[in-house]
Amino acid sequence: MKLSFNKSFVAVWAVSLLFPITAAHGRVTKESHESVLDTESNELFRTLYTFDYSMSMTPEPTTLPPTSPPPTKSPVDDQTYPPTDLSTEPPTEPPTEPPTEPPTAKAFCLVDVDIKCVDDDGTDCRAIESPPGQCVTGNKIDVVTFAYLGSNCEGSANTQNGICDDFGSGPSERDVVTCKDMEGEVLYSKSVSVGDSITVPSSGNGPLPEMIICEVTSVENGSPRQSFQVNTSGDEDLSLLDIYGSLQLISCNEHNCKVPVTFTYEIENIGTEQMTVDFLERTIKSSFDINGVTIKDSSINDLLGSVKKTVLEPGEKTTAVEEGIIDVCIEGTYATSVKVEADPPIGVPCEDEDKYEVTIEIEGCRIDVDITCVDEDGKSCTDLEAPPGRCSDGGKIDVVTFTYEGGDCDQTANTQQESICKDFNGGPSAQDDSRILCIDKESTNEINIIFDDVVSAGDEITLPAITGETLPDVIECEVLQRNVKRQELIINTSGKEDLYLKDVFGSLTLESCDEKDCLVPVTYTYLLSNVGQSPMDITEVIRIRGDTTVDLIDLVEDKTLDFRESTEVVEEEVVDVCLNAEIGTVVAAKADPEEGDPCFDEDVYNFMTVVKECRVEAEITCVDSEGTDCDEIEAPEKQCSESDEIDVISLEYIGGSCDQSRNTQDEKCEDFSGGPSEKDIAKIYCSDIKGNELFDDEVSVGEVITIRGLSGGPLPE
């Protein structure tokens, strides 16, 4: 990842220094330098540098007054005559001139400037690496720092499912931000303006609480403007540059987007004479992308006052130092250039420029998946409730809806006394389509058809009123497969017989009656959002519900998303709220950035359907010890024996006096002390005439005693 000097982030990330630009031309510059000079400056340098030496070696030409043209020659003038020696003296030698010294090289001014940038550890700014974006690395979070954006909740961009609420018009450019833990202990509270940093530490030496709650209130009157939550437990995603309402995360623990750096501008006299540095100007031109906006800006700073020494001898150096901030979490290009000018005591001034450019390229992406589920009235699926199960308390019923399940009468489950279910030819199969024909059972004049159609297992059939506004009291339905009768049903819909949602009549299950409905249509919406700083392409969307997995990628219309752009997938489903069940939905998505590794996210949506009433059916059976139904038990002959001996008799102890005796024997019954009480336990002793014991035990009223003959023989007379 390449890095760059960060100048500003809209109003939030501003660190720019703006100064007037001063242009300078007509100075000697060197070409052999890595800085890029404009064409005019280069041409000027070449001209001055070339002619600087030629002027020192060649005298300037003398300007003479114009002269008259020479007289015209005659032909005689062109003739050549031999020289005439008029003198007898030998010829005189011309005087000898002293040799001419070569010209001395002229002194010149030449300056060099270089830019260096390092962080506090001495690392070159172009080699600084971005921190891991994810704060959650298995360790607890001790401190977080946010930048105040002053934005509403709709601008949030994170993968947490925390709450964010705006009040009134929401946050403004200057508000009070207060952050607390769940117990209400204040961790931070100050008035801030857009661009200010907010550092929230733990309350003691330990980590931050699992959840912090921040409130934004008006500086003027304290009225609430915004409230939101941030999960700092380390168990939920928390990433640098996440946006929570009006706050954007810029650091967590040692992970920091803002890196302090030092720019050093080194100036060297590489000429042949003394020079005075009289101009040093730094320009920063930046272009970066943050929160979906491209920011382009420039700033100029006069650094002459920062130059440690302005008068430099040949070969001598000096520096100017400037502190800055690099934001290593935002993508962009930052170019820092510096221009220096110097004057020699005599001669032409000189200048030089240097440029330091770094680029931050953010790799990877961040995608957020959010699931919502509502019914047709907009009610959340988590708030769905089962309707009362009883269709009617005695009033008429207008319409009923069944689900055709297939299957025989053995699955019938209802409390109607007159309900009838009969199977024919093995009953209806759930694998085959069926024709269902329902009519008014009590119609005598004509056949009133309520329903007649072919259905498959799982289809719904609705039986509406055919005359008047209510259903007939009794409905008769036939189930046919391949024109063969498979089942016959009699269902009472008068409202006077029990009729409950989820009652089963053979192959039909009751789902609704009048406005009471078990099957509730719901809409699932899967929102896919780009919460990172880089564009991404959605490449996978998978939905899992129960044992079913569905690929939804073909339902995603906008697959390429820039920052804070979203797309959604919508699914229609039907939920049965009359069954106790937990319904869970998982949506997992994958996205690919332009560069770097793909990103993933998933969301889980669970809700339960709870039936808050019960139904019980009481049924009595009665059988004797041999399993004979009590209704079929026949009374025995009352005469124990006419002539045969009796082996055993059983008597019920009922208590009471001899006055209640009822028999045709000439028995002897005598009471003593008022006779036996019905309330007390009695001891009964029975023997034959000879005194042989036949029974001796304590009994209470209602108990039965059995008397047998001695040694398995018959009873005595």
Tab-separated table of all heavy atoms in Angstrom, residues 43-58 106:
chain	number	residue	atom	x	y	z
A	43	GLU	N	13.945	26.619	-20.303
A	43	GLU	CA	14.545	27.366	-21.412
A	43	GLU	C	15.351	28.537	-20.878
A	43	GLU	O	16.447	28.838	-21.347
A	43	GLU	CB	13.441	27.858	-22.351
A	43	GLU	CG	13.959	28.449	-23.653
A	43	GLU	CD	14.729	27.415	-24.458
A	43	GLU	OE1	14.361	26.221	-24.411
A	43	GLU	OE2	15.719	27.802	-25.109
A	44	LEU	N	14.802	29.185	-19.851
A	44	LEU	CA	15.518	30.307	-19.263
A	44	LEU	C	16.832	29.835	-18.651
A	44	LEU	O	17.873	30.465	-18.808
A	44	LEU	CB	14.636	30.966	-18.192
A	44	LEU	CG	15.260	32.132	-17.442
A	44	LEU	CD1	15.560	33.283	-18.392
A	44	LEU	CD2	14.326	32.597	-16.326
A	45	PHE	N	16.760	28.647	-17.944
A	45	PHE	CA	17.980	28.120	-17.345
A	45	PHE	C	19.028	27.833	-18.415
A	45	PHE	O	20.184	28.206	-18.284
A	45	PHE	CB	17.663	26.850	-16.555
A	45	PHE	CG	18.880	26.031	-16.261
A	45	PHE	CD1	19.808	26.446	-15.324
A	45	PHE	CD2	19.115	24.855	-16.960
A	45	PHE	CE1	20.924	25.695	-15.072
A	45	PHE	CE2	20.235	24.111	-16.706
A	45	PHE	CZ	21.142	24.526	-15.757
A	46	ARG	N	18.618	27.147	-19.490
A	46	ARG	CA	19.585	26.813	-20.531
A	46	ARG	C	20.203	28.078	-21.133
A	46	ARG	O	21.393	28.151	-21.395
A	46	ARG	CB	18.900	25.970	-21.608
A	46	ARG	CG	18.663	24.525	-21.180
A	46	ARG	CD	18.285	23.671	-22.376
A	46	ARG	NE	16.997	24.048	-22.901
A	46	ARG	CZ	15.852	23.496	-22.491
A	46	ARG	NH1	15.868	22.563	-21.549
A	46	ARG	NH2	14.704	23.874	-23.015
A	47	THR	N	19.413	29.095	-21.354
A	47	THR	CA	19.919	30.339	-21.964
A	47	THR	C	20.933	31.016	-21.054
A	47	THR	O	22.052	31.353	-21.459
A	47	THR	CB	18.753	31.287	-22.250
A	47	THR	OG1	17.834	30.625	-23.102
A	47	THR	CG2	19.248	32.564	-22.897
A	48	LEU	N	20.522	31.188	-19.756
A	48	LEU	CA	21.413	31.899	-18.838
A	48	LEU	C	22.675	31.094	-18.571
A	48	LEU	O	23.779	31.616	-18.530
A	48	LEU	CB	20.679	32.187	-17.530
A	48	LEU	CG	19.531	33.212	-17.640
A	48	LEU	CD1	18.832	33.328	-16.300
A	48	LEU	CD2	20.087	34.565	-18.056
A	49	TYR	N	22.482	29.748	-18.358
A	49	TYR	CA	23.638	28.935	-18.015
A	49	TYR	C	24.618	28.887	-19.168
A	49	TYR	O	25.825	28.978	-18.991
A	49	TYR	CB	23.176	27.520	-17.644
A	49	TYR	CG	24.252	26.698	-16.997
A	49	TYR	CD1	24.499	26.807	-15.634
A	49	TYR	CD2	25.013	25.824	-17.758
A	49	TYR	CE1	25.476	26.054	-15.040
A	49	TYR	CE2	25.986	25.066	-17.166
A	49	TYR	CZ	26.219	25.175	-15.811
A	49	TYR	OH	27.191	24.420	-15.222
A	50	THR	N	24.186	28.821	-20.428
A	50	THR	CA	25.070	28.734	-21.591
A	50	THR	C	25.816	30.036	-21.815
A	50	THR	O	27.033	30.062	-21.965
A	50	THR	CB	24.257	28.391	-22.838
A	50	THR	OG1	23.604	27.140	-22.616
A	50	THR	CG2	25.147	28.313	-24.054
A	51	PHE	N	25.082	31.121	-21.769
A	51	PHE	CA	25.709	32.403	-22.075
A	51	PHE	C	26.474	32.984	-20.909
A	51	PHE	O	27.200	33.949	-21.067
A	51	PHE	CB	24.656	33.404	-22.563
A	51	PHE	CG	24.266	33.171	-23.982
A	51	PHE	CD1	23.175	32.382	-24.289
A	51	PHE	CD2	25.011	33.714	-25.017
A	51	PHE	CE1	22.822	32.174	-25.607
A	51	PHE	CE2	24.664	33.492	-26.337
A	51	PHE	CZ	23.569	32.723	-26.631
A	52	ASP	N	26.321	32.382	-19.739
A	52	ASP	CA	27.092	32.881	-18.609
A	52	ASP	C	28.578	32.701	-18.874
A	52	ASP	O	29.378	33.575	-18.604
A	52	ASP	CB	26.676	32.110	-17.352
A	52	ASP	CG	27.043	32.880	-16.100
A	52	ASP	OD1	27.238	34.086	-16.210
A	52	ASP	OD2	27.106	32.249	-15.036
A	53	TYR	N	28.973	31.513	-19.426
A	53	TYR	CA	30.380	31.269	-19.736
A	53	TYR	C	30.812	32.025	-20.984
A	53	TYR	O	31.905	32.564	-21.041
A	53	TYR	CB	30.632	29.774	-19.922
A	53	TYR	CG	30.559	29.033	-18.613
A	53	TYR	CD1	29.418	28.330	-18.262
A	53	TYR	CD2	31.650	29.054	-17.748
A	53	TYR	CE1	29.357	27.657	-17.064
A	53	TYR	CE2	31.590	28.368	-16.546
A	53	TYR	CZ	30.450	27.672	-16.203
A	53	TYR	OH	30.395	27.004	-15.029
A	54	SER	N	30.036	32.102	-22.019
A	54	SER	CA	30.466	32.745	-23.264
A	54	SER	C	30.664	34.235	-23.062
A	54	SER	O	31.535	34.835	-23.662
A	54	SER	CB	29.428	32.491	-24.362
A	54	SER	OG	28.170	33.050	-23.991
A	55	MET	N	29.889	34.851	-22.207
A	55	MET	CA	30.047	36.283	-21.977
A	55	MET	C	31.331	36.578	-21.228
A	55	MET	O	31.951	37.609	-21.416
A	55	MET	CB	28.845	36.817	-21.191
A	55	MET	CG	27.552	36.861	-22.016
A	55	MET	SD	26.227	37.768	-21.218
A	55	MET	CE	26.179	37.011	-19.647
A	56	SER	N	31.777	35.648	-20.396
A	56	SER	CA	33.001	35.907	-19.642
A	56	SER	C	34.236	35.744	-20.508
A	56	SER	O	35.282	36.257	-20.179
A	56	SER	CB	33.088	34.966	-18.445
A	56	SER	OG	33.200	33.635	-18.897
A	57	MET	N	34.138	35.071	-21.664
A	57	MET	CA	35.295	34.827	-22.509
A	57	MET	C	35.271	35.686	-23.763
A	57	MET	O	36.286	35.856	-24.400
A	57	MET	CB	35.344	33.341	-22.912
A	57	MET	CG	35.591	32.402	-21.731
A	57	MET	SD	35.727	30.681	-22.245
A	57	MET	CE	34.060	30.399	-22.758
A	58	THR	N	34.262	36.275	-24.212
A	58	THR	CA	34.163	37.028	-25.463
A	58	THR	C	33.815	38.477	-25.157
A	58	THR	O	32.828	38.742	-24.479
A	58	THR	CB	33.092	36.425	-26.379
A	58	THR	OG1	33.390	35.041	-26.556
A	58	THR	CG2	33.036	37.146	-27.707
A	106	LYS	N	33.867	33.142	-14.945
A	106	LYS	CA	33.057	34.006	-14.091
A	106	LYS	C	32.389	33.183	-13.002
A	106	LYS	O	31.864	32.105	-13.244
A	106	LYS	CB	32.009	34.716	-14.936
A	106	LYS	CG	31.150	35.702	-14.160
A	106	LYS	CD	30.163	36.381	-15.085
A	106	LYS	CE	29.289	37.356	-14.322
A	106	LYS	NZ	28.304	38.005	-15.211
